Amino acid sequence: MEYTEIQTNADSLDNSVIFHVIKDVIGFVLFMHQQIPSVLQDIGLEFDTLKEEYHELGMALAQAEANAYVRRKHMGRMREVKGGIRRLEKLMNSVSALESALQLMISEIPRLESFILVLGASPIRPQHVYELCFSRGKTVLRDASDFTKSRAAEGLSRKAIRALIAKGAGSDSHPGPTKLFLLVKAPSSFNLPLHFLPKRNFRYSKKIMPVILQVKCKSQNLEMDVPDCACQSISSVNSRDSTSNEFMWFQCRHVVKGLAFAAPTEE
């Protein structure tokens, strides 16, 4: 199975780095496949700005002793802002829920290495599949719940996105809203039912050629012909954990659905 290797100069990959790489790749996949009109960070800023404006308009309307014309103007703008909030609210809530679930899972299981992003109507009948494999390198004790974005995470995210662009990600997209699913390979004993469902025999259509990224640390010197973590046809059990747990796929309950919008067309 063809894959792209990404080298990092770090000796290890902590939870925060892995989380932010996955988060940024999710935003890139949604944008490049025309599921959102702009990058996810800009949409988040727009959403927060609209909510703040709506609150300020409401306060001004309640306090102002203005004439009827000014009140009608304020109320008209509030309706416009509320419409903008409703347009983005479901997307932003689903993205936030998915990110929170991913943080919980990464915090509870310290050696996660295998992640799959599926774009399509369902995980087993996808349009596109992106597999992310992380070789964590040396074990370094850090706060597992600290997800502050570091310079290392920013640099690795840029490398991952450049690799996806080089592989042609988004070049053959079909306009129209679809869904993005996240699957994580974890020990079978993992139990977080509010956020993840077990998918022991998960397989997607063999007609789909996945884009696979293998992220390796400087201290990772093993030679691999294929990535040993996310590819569905190969066991991704980490040797240090396999004595106590069988690994299997878990699907995140929080699904991100693309927005319906008029994408720009090429002339």
Side-chain angles (χ1 to χ4, degrees), residues 22-80:
I22 296 170
K23 175 184 174 180
D24 290 345
V25 168
I26 287 172
F28 169 80
V29 167
L30 290 171
F31 178 58
M32 291 300 291
H33 287 286
Q34 301 179 23
Q35 296 304 301
I36 52 178
S38 58
V39 296
L40 201 53
Q41 183 179 9
D42 289 348
I43 293 178
L45 290 173
E46 179 187 355
F47 184 60
D48 291 340
T49 300
L50 287 172
K51 289 194 296 182
E52 183 177 350
E53 183 181 357
Y54 187 81
H55 176 72
E56 291 175 353
L57 285 168
M59 294 287 290
L61 193 62
Q63 297 174 2
E65 296 180 359
N67 59 42
Y69 169 76
V70 174
R71 290 183 64 84
R72 284 197 301 271
K73 186 177 179 180
H74 270 61
M75 292 176 68
R77 178 56 186 164
M78 285 184 71
R79 284 193 293 270
E80 292 177 5

Side-chain angles (χ1 to χ4, degrees), residues 18 22 102 105-106 108-117 130-134 136 182-191 196-204 227-239 241-242 245-252:
I18 291 176
I22 296 170
L102 181 60
M105 190 174 216
I106 292 176
E108 288 199 14
I109 305 175
R111 300 298 305 178
L112 288 178
E113 298 180 349
S114 311
F115 305 84
I116 289 181
L117 301 177
Y130 297 91
E131 303 188 357
L132 304 175
C133 313
F134 296 89
R136 285 177 172 260
L182 169 69
L183 292 104
V184 183
K185 184 157 271 192
S188 58
S189 59
F190 174 73
N191 186 28
F196 288 91
L197 295 171
K199 296 289 181 179
R200 181 176 297 275
N201 298 315
F202 170 68
R203 293 287 188 276
Y204 53 78
D228 65 345
C229 44
C231 180
Q232 67 175 355
S233 60
I234 299 171
S235 172
S236 64
V237 178
N238 185 293
S239 60
D241 301 320
S242 60
N245 272 308
E246 173 195 1
F247 274 49
M248 58 181 284
W249 290 107
F250 288 82
Q251 179 184 325
C252 185

Side-chain angles (χ1 to χ4, degrees), residues 132-192:
L132 304 175
C133 313
F134 296 89
S135 297
R136 285 177 172 260
K138 295 179 180 178
T139 300
V140 179
L141 294 178
R142 294 190 178 95
D143 184 356
S145 61
D146 181 9
F147 289 96
T148 304
K149 191 171 187 178
S150 63
R151 291 181 63 182
E154 290 180 359
L156 198 54
S157 289
R158 286 195 295 268
K159 286 184 178 181
I161 290 172
R162 283 198 296 266
L164 291 174
I165 293 172
K167 298 295 290 185
S171 60
D172 59 345
S173 293
H174 305 286
T178 188
K179 298 175 183 177
L180 183 140
F181 303 87
L182 169 69
L183 292 104
V184 183
K185 184 157 271 192
S188 58
S189 59
F190 174 73
N191 186 28
L192 202 62

